[in-house]
Amino acid sequence: MAADTRTRLLEGAFSTLRTQGIAGASARSIAAAAGVNQALVFYHFGSVDELLAESVRHAARRRVETYRDRLGAVSSLRELLDLGRALHAEERAEGNLAVLAQMLAGAQADPQLAPATTAGLHLWVAEIESALGRILASIKPARALDTGGLARAIAATFIGLELYGGVDAQGATRAVTALEQLTSALATAPADPAT
Amino acid sequence: MAADTRTRLLEGAFSTLRTQGIAGASARSIAAAAGVNQALVFYHFGSVDELLAESVRHAARRRVETYRDRLGAVSSLRELLDLGRALHAEERAEGNLAVLAQMLAGAQADPQLAPATTAGLHLWVAEIESALGRILASIKPARALDTGGLARAIAATFIGLELYGGVDAQGATRAVTALEQLTSALATAPADPAT
DNA sequence: GTCTATAGTCGGATAGAC
DNA sequence: GTCTATCCGACTATAGAC
């Protein structure tokens, strides 16, 4: 707690994005969340956009390192699905999904936000892709699949589900459950014929 | 062209959401897009939030009626996938997906936007669900699936892909292609054993 | 590095003339 | 129904004291 001002601003930006959304992420509200003066946003980061961009980079860097080990240890499709579910829950709880979704929404109209957002998302994509590629290579009918494309589709689906969950939590839960049933069925039925 | 003021505001709100995003959807910018005076937003709709909400209702109402017939004519999983792809492309081109994504992002922090957004999304979900339910019922291994949950997952995925496409068009195309390969493979391989 | 103060702009919303 | 004019608060950003 009470870290240096720069860090407080980075974390204030994160929590403001999470709770107020991209439309409420102003220098003033971020500074308030960080407990520092509003002018310091511009002193340390030059502009609000730069602070937001730096904030997602900051958050993404710390998280993904934690995943690398866990994803690397996975050796079956079933394990991958279980880990995926666990990571999804953790990311949701940390607010990383909500923040990324808000940045993504903001980046549609504000090109300055796009690079950092893409980078933050790509950290996940790369991790998912590497684990996916390793597992699917051992499943014959899955060899033809584009793991990079699938990894991107999975990341996009998480974003969509996060936003949907914000307006209809029950519906989103149903969607997740249905996807789990589907993937689970695929993992057991036509997947076993390996090599 | 040059419809009555109310309609112009509804359409101005739509195109502003589409091009400026939720963070740029102010009474002034909407009125400018509509070519009318800013005060009329409040005269006709009371508040910006109400106008935005009414705008998505307005847009959703007109679209879905067009779909009902087309979805109703579908009689195989393959046809459903083809139609789904076509509708997805049309919705993207019209900007309906972009607008819904922005409303969804805004609704996370602004509960006033949530009801209309949920309703707009649900129009799709209901259509997808009904077509999905009809088709999957004829495929034995698919009987256990929750079509409502799947329909919600599909809608959420479209939203996520739309936002992802805004910052990485190439990556989103890859994701869509991968999903098409996957669903296509599922539609032909283990799906044929009907009844 | 951090603060106050302030310039200048843009936002939501209302009053009242036409 | 539509306009101008306006209040007032919030915003980005900067200048300058400490």
Side-chain angles (χ1 to χ4, degrees):
Chain A
M1 291 275 172
D4 71 313
T5 299
R6 217 189 125 83
T7 307
R8 294 180 68 150
L9 279 170
L10 288 172
E11 289 166 0
F14 185 92
S15 79
T16 301
L17 271 177
R18 184 182 178 183
T19 59
Q20 319 282 321
I22 186 70
S26 66
R28 281 174 146 86
S29 58
I30 291 173
V36 305
N37 189 280
Q38 171 260 67
L40 295 175
V41 167
F42 304 97
Y43 176 76
H44 284 285
F45 297 94
S47 71
V48 172
D49 276 2
E50 257 314 304
L51 168 53
L52 293 178
E54 203 56 52
S55 178
V56 302
R57 277 191 273 264
H58 179 249
R61 231 176 279 135
R62 290 183 312 184
R63 295 292 297 166
V64 169
E65 279 151 24
T66 323
Y67 296 169
R68 193 152 321 203
D69 294 343
R70 292 207 267 169
L71 279 162
V74 162
S75 66
S76 74
L77 186 53
R78 162 81 40 208
E79 274 177 41
L80 182 59
L81 291 178
D82 287 344
L83 180 56
R85 199 167 39 198
L87 292 184
H88 182 216
E90 287 170 34
E91 287 300 295
R92 267 193 59 90
E94 294 268 333
N96 285 323
L97 268 170
V99 166
L100 218 41
Q102 290 297 324
M103 287 289 288
L104 225 27
Q108 308 291 309
D110 181 356
Q112 295 208 63
L113 298 180
T117 306
T118 313
L121 204 52
H122 190 72
L123 285 176
W124 289 4
V125 169
E127 292 302 319
I128 299 173
E129 180 173 359
S130 113
L132 212 52
R134 209 152 33 76
I135 301 305
L136 292 188
S138 67
I139 299 170
K140 193 170 164 213
R143 292 258 173 75
L145 294 173
D146 172 19
T147 53
L150 276 182
R152 283 162 179 78
I154 291 168
T157 301
F158 282 180
I159 295 291
L161 285 171
E162 173 70 18
L163 288 176
Y164 184 35
V167 301
D168 180 3
Q170 205 177 323
T173 302
R174 247 182 104 180
V176 170
T177 304
L179 284 180
E180 281 171 4
Q181 284 176 358
L182 185 63
T183 50
S184 216
L186 294 178
T188 54
D192 278 357
T195 300
Chain B
M1 288 273 173
D4 71 313
T5 299
R6 217 188 125 84
T7 307
R8 294 180 69 151
L9 280 171
L10 288 172
E11 288 167 359
F14 185 90
S15 79
T16 302
L17 272 176
R18 185 182 178 181
T19 59
Q20 318 282 324
I22 186 71
S26 66
R28 283 175 150 89
S29 59
I30 291 173
V36 305
N37 189 279
Q38 172 259 359
L40 295 175
V41 168
F42 304 97
Y43 176 78
H44 284 284
F45 298 93
S47 72
V48 173
D49 276 3
E50 257 314 304
L51 167 53
L52 293 177
E54 203 56 53
S55 178
V56 301
R57 277 191 273 263
H58 180 250
R61 232 176 280 135
R62 290 183 313 184
R63 295 291 298 167
V64 170
E65 280 151 22
T66 322
Y67 297 168
R68 194 153 319 203
D69 293 344
R70 291 208 267 171
L71 280 163
V74 162
S75 67
S76 75
L77 185 53
R78 162 79 41 205
E79 275 177 41
L80 182 59
L81 291 178
D82 288 344
L83 179 57
R85 197 166 40 198
L87 292 184
H88 182 215
E90 288 171 32
E91 286 300 294
R92 268 192 57 91
E94 294 268 331
N96 286 323
L97 268 170
V99 166
L100 217 41
Q102 290 297 324
M103 286 290 287
L104 224 28
Q108 308 292 310
D110 180 355
Q112 295 208 64
L113 298 180
T117 307
T118 313
L121 204 53
H122 190 72
L123 284 176
W124 290 3
V125 170
E127 293 301 319
I128 299 173
E129 180 173 359
S130 114
L132 211 52
R134 210 151 32 77
I135 302 304
L136 293 188
S138 67
I139 298 171
K140 194 172 163 209
R143 292 258 172 76
L145 294 173
D146 172 18
T147 53
L150 276 182
R152 283 161 179 79
I154 291 169
T157 301
F158 282 180
I159 294 290
L161 285 171
E162 173 71 19
L163 288 175
Y164 184 35
V167 301
D168 180 3
Q170 206 177 322
T173 302
R174 247 183 104 181
V176 170
T177 304
L179 284 180
E180 280 171 3
Q181 283 176 358
L182 184 64
T183 51
S184 216
L186 294 178
T188 54
D192 278 357
T195 302

